[in-house]
Amino acid sequence: MGDSDNVIHDASKHRFAKSINIDGDVSTAFVEYREVNHEVLDFYHTYVPPALRGRGIAEKVMNGAMDTIIKKNQKAYLSCSYLVQHWLPRNPQYSKYIVKILGAL
């Protein structure tokens, strides 16, 4: 569905990450999650290094995360404000895989 190129699932750290190499300097952007149960992951935090912000990297990482969990028949809970306010409105194709959104009734 989305841009999942080079997004790695690091289950030991409970995150999906993308490493970016700029002039030999490698930085990592990621989205962290908690496992609610075997069917639902709570995505609670995104991080992009300051020098890389504003380039759509967090969106690509989350798209990769969603593509991965969809293949595993899992769904997402969004408790990260960035994901709720910015990512989801730009990526409505994932709405049917979201079970709950922070602050939503």
Side-chain angles (χ1 to χ4, degrees), residues 27-41:
S27 296
T28 302
F30 56 86
V31 58
E32 294 178 307
Y33 67 87
R34 290 184 271 276
E35 191 172 311
V36 176
N37 56 48
H38 67 280
E39 297 174 353
V40 179
L41 301 182

Side-chain angles (χ1 to χ4, degrees), residues 39-76:
E39 297 174 353
V40 179
L41 301 182
D42 170 15
F43 290 96
Y44 69 90
H45 178 69
T46 57
Y47 175 78
V48 175
L52 299 174
R53 292 180 184 164
R55 300 180 188 191
I57 295 170
E59 181 174 9
K60 290 176 183 176
V61 174
M62 188 59 189
N63 288 353
M66 289 300 296
D67 291 344
T68 300
I69 71 168
I70 289 166
K71 288 176 188 170
K72 294 177 158 187
N73 294 315
Q74 294 176 306
K75 295 197 176 189

Side-chain angles (χ1 to χ4, degrees), residues 11 16 22 24 28 37 40 49 53-54 76 85-87 89 91 97 102:
F16 289 84
I22 297 178
T28 302
N37 56 48
V40 179
R53 292 180 184 164
Q85 296 169 5
H86 301 283
W87 174 80
N91 293 277
Y97 302 103
L102 177 69

Side-chain angles (χ1 to χ4, degrees), residues 20-27 52 55:
I20 299 99
N21 185 336
I22 297 178
D23 299 326
D25 184 29
V26 178
S27 296
L52 299 174
R55 300 180 188 191

